[in-house]
């Protein structure tokens, strides 16, 4: 038998060749490369002894039956779309490692107390139609039909793209999973951060998942001539915004949270004009909603004080709010036991990135396992990497999880 993890890593590298771009890895929903990747995943699932179906939104779902009829299903899953110029393991790892597990069981003629299904989600990143979690939302019965009219950068609607991919847009989202059949959902994912790397640990148990909460802050001051308005008489929107950005950094650093200003625009900016209008974004995330809200309150109060002192006007708009999702305690325990059984310490850590697991948590017991991210912890980046050893440990831990799953769970 080949080394555990080898198959997963080899396949992740092979799958990344199905890319929309010849020189980097980009795979957008329903592109030719996306369809080729889907066909390849289907082939690997069949090779592992699974029956395969493709659902109404192009999710590929493989099934490996339990030892007994009528058993519940333990569902694994992750996504095979990518961001532009993404990493080869983001999403794909959570499809390929469970396939390696099933291949191993199939080779031994082994059946578990639960049926194993693996869902390869067609669209999580939403990079083509700005539809985050389209696939998993469809699976939990929350497909938004308004998405069908969304167009990509080339003006192609989701409806037409689905037709081109051989799918029926009218059927989209009508084949949600039956929660009564599910024993639970587990998503294996690359950590996309440096915590496990820093701790010297290959695997982790995710406690909470938080997607970003986004705000836009607008600062309006008084534009003026860079040469004629004395410093003391200025109402510079940019220096006010700069002070606000530093307040945000300081407040986030003082608590268990992260905050990022990723966009800052100086409207009608010019080298010889005092900035009169600036807006910037704030993305803020914490392991629980109360911690995040308290920090938001502190930040906005402090920004108001800065605005007052500098004689500028601050307005803010909340762009999106997503609640923190807590992974099921029972599933966290199972995943921790499985990691320990694979011979490594089970570190618990929160996920600061959103995942399909957030949607599945609405219908069943949900958990996530993280795999250490190499290359300094970078992700959504071509340098993203996972070692064969770590992938092998993940495969062993997932096998332990499957084998320990009781029939009545
Ligand atoms: Zn991902």
């Amino acid at each position: 038998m080949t080394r555990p993890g080898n198959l997963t890593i080899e396949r992740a590298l092979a799958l990344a060749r199905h890319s929309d771009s010849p020189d980097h890895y980009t795979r957008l929903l329903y592109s030719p490369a996306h369809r080729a990747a889907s066909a390849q995943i289907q082939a690997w699932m069949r090779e592992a002894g699974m029956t395969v179906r493709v659902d109404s939104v192009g999710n590929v779902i493989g099934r490996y039956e339990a030892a007994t009829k009528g058993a519940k299903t333990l569902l694994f899953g992750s996504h095979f779309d990518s961001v532009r110029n993404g990493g080869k393991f983001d999403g794909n790892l959570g499809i390929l490692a469970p396939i390696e597990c099933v291949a191993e069981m199939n080779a031994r003629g082994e059946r578990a107390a639960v049926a194993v299904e693996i869902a390869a989600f067609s669209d999580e990143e939403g990079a083509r139609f700005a539809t985050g979690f389209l696939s998993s939302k469809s699976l939990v019965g929350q497909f938004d039909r308004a998405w069908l009219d969304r167009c990509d950068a080339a003006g192609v609607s989701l409806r037409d793209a689905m037709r081109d991919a051989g799918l029926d847009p009218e059927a989209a989202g009508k084949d949600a999973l039956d929660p009564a059949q599910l024993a639970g959902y587990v998503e294996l994912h690359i950590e996309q951060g440096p915590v496990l790397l820093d701790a010297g640990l290959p695997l982790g148990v995710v406690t909470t998942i938080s997607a970003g909460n986004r705000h836009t802050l607008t600062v309006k001051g008084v534009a003026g001539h860079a040469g004629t308005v004395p410093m003391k008489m200025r109402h510079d929107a940019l220096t006010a915004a700069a002070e606000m950005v530093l307040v945000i950094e300081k407040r986030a650093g003082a608590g268990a949270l992260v905050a990022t200003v990723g966009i800052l625009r100086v409207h009608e900016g010019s080298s010889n004009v005092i900035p009169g209008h600036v807006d910037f974004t704030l993305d803020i995330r914490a392991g629980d909603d109360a911690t995040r809200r308290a920090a938001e309150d502190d930040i906005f109060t402090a920004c108001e004080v800065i605005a007052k002192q500098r004689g500028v006007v601050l307005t803010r708009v909340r762009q999106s709010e997503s609640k923190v999702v807590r992974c099921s305690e029972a599933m966290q325990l199972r995943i921790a036991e499985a990691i320990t059984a694979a011979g490594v310490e089970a570190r618990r850590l929160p996920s600061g990135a959103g995942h399909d697991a957030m949607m599945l948590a609405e219908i069943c017991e949900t958990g996530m396992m993280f795999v250490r991210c190499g290359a300094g912890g970078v992700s959504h980046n071509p340098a993203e990497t996972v070692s064969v050893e770590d992938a092998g440990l993940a495969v062993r831990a997932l096998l332990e999880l499957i084998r320990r799953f009781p029939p009545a769970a």
Side-chain angles (χ1 to χ4, degrees):
M1 207 200 99
T2 55
R3 199 152 61 120
N6 233 347
L7 195 64
T8 295
I9 298 296
E10 270 173 18
R11 285 176 168 178
L13 299 177
L15 200 62
R17 284 185 217 121
H18 296 298
S19 170
D20 299 335
S21 161
D23 40 49
H24 56 74
Y25 168 57
T26 297
R27 194 153 62 221
L28 304 187
L29 180 65
Y30 305 143
S31 70
H34 188 275
R35 287 149 70 181
S38 165
Q40 178 62 79
I41 292 167
Q42 293 176 49
W44 285 332
M45 285 175 168
R46 287 199 186 92
E47 196 187 311
M50 308 184 93
T51 52
V52 179
R53 64 185 193 270
V54 176
D55 81 357
S56 64
V57 296
N59 295 325
V60 178
I61 304 172
R63 180 176 175 85
Y64 188 72
E65 295 296 343
T68 54
K69 271 210 156 61
K72 287 196 176 186
T73 300
L74 176 58
L75 179 67
F76 293 93
S78 203
H79 58 98
F80 67 98
D81 66 321
S82 81
V83 294
R84 289 185 171 80
N85 199 12
K88 301 175 181 74
F89 300 92
D90 176 8
N92 299 308
L93 186 70
I95 300 166
L96 300 173
I99 293 177
E100 184 174 337
C101 292
V102 173
E104 165 80 11
M105 291 173 71
N106 190 47
R108 291 167 183 254
E110 177 185 348
R111 300 273 167 185
V114 283
V116 175
E117 288 199 359
I118 303 170
F121 295 119
S122 58
D123 184 61
E124 186 258 1
E125 305 284 3
R128 182 170 177 190
F129 295 100
T131 48
F133 305 114
L134 178 147
S135 298
S136 46
K137 279 189 174 167
S138 175
L139 272 191
V140 302
Q142 293 180 17
F143 183 85
D144 182 351
R145 300 202 65 78
W147 286 335
L148 292 171
D149 297 315
R150 288 225 180 142
C151 290
D152 67 5
V156 177
S157 70
L158 175 60
R159 180 178 278 105
D160 287 343
M162 287 188 94
R163 283 202 190 104
D164 289 347
L167 298 165
D168 173 11
E170 293 319 307
K174 290 184 178 164
D175 49 358
L177 294 173
D178 175 7
Q181 300 299 317
L182 293 175
Y185 173 77
V186 175
E187 183 160 354
L188 178 81
H189 205 282
I190 183 168
E191 182 202 332
Q192 300 183 283
V195 175
L196 291 173
L197 185 68
D198 196 52
L201 294 171
L203 303 173
V205 185
V206 176
T207 51
T208 58
I209 314 168
S210 48
N213 284 266
R214 278 177 219 140
H215 306 264
T216 301
L217 290 88
T218 302
V219 183
K220 289 213 171 140
V222 181
H225 196 294
T228 61
V229 185
M231 294 307 286
K232 281 195 173 149
M233 295 174 72
R234 295 185 178 196
H235 302 285
D236 184 326
L238 180 58
T239 51
E243 206 177 323
M244 292 172 192
V245 173
L246 293 177
V247 155
I248 290 166
E249 183 189 46
K250 194 166 173 208
R251 178 59 183 83
L257 65 149
V258 288
T260 306
V261 174
I263 299 173
L264 188 148
R265 274 182 294 250
V266 181
H267 292 265
E268 276 123 36
S270 174
S271 61
N272 60 353
V273 176
I274 300 161
H277 179 186
V278 168
D279 54 38
F280 61 95
T281 56
L282 167 63
D283 176 309
I284 183 163
R285 309 172 190 220
D288 67 280
D289 293 317
T291 301
R292 189 199 77 237
R293 285 201 197 101
E296 283 173 342
D297 288 348
D298 290 350
I299 284 168
F300 297 140
T301 305
C303 288
E304 286 294 350
V305 170
I306 294 165
K308 221 170 230 142
Q309 283 166 349
R310 289 177 166 271
V312 297
V313 177
L314 172 70
T315 50
R316 63 187 161 85
V317 177
R318 181 186 289 279
Q319 303 292 356
S320 71
E321 177 163 30
S322 91
K323 286 210 160 52
V324 172
V325 171
R326 191 152 251 299
C327 290
S328 127
E329 294 293 338
M331 201 62 100
Q332 284 186 51
L333 202 65
R334 286 185 196 287
I335 293 171
E337 283 171 1
I339 291 175
T340 310
V344 290
E345 184 189 330
R347 165 71 60 100
R348 296 193 188 225
L349 74 168
S351 171
H355 295 290
D356 290 305
M358 298 176 94
M359 304 304 130
L360 274 297
E362 296 193 14
I363 63 161
C364 65
E365 298 260 334
T366 289
M368 284 192 78
M369 189 190 295
F370 269 170
V371 182
R372 168 165 55 190
C373 196
V378 295
S379 184
H380 277 187
N381 183 305
E384 178 189 281
T385 175
V386 170
S387 71
V388 173
E389 291 72 25
D390 289 2
L393 285 165
V395 166
R396 282 179 57 189
L398 291 183
L399 273 169
E400 291 288 348
L401 183 77
I402 296 167
R403 287 172 177 149
R404 286 151 179 263
F405 229 89

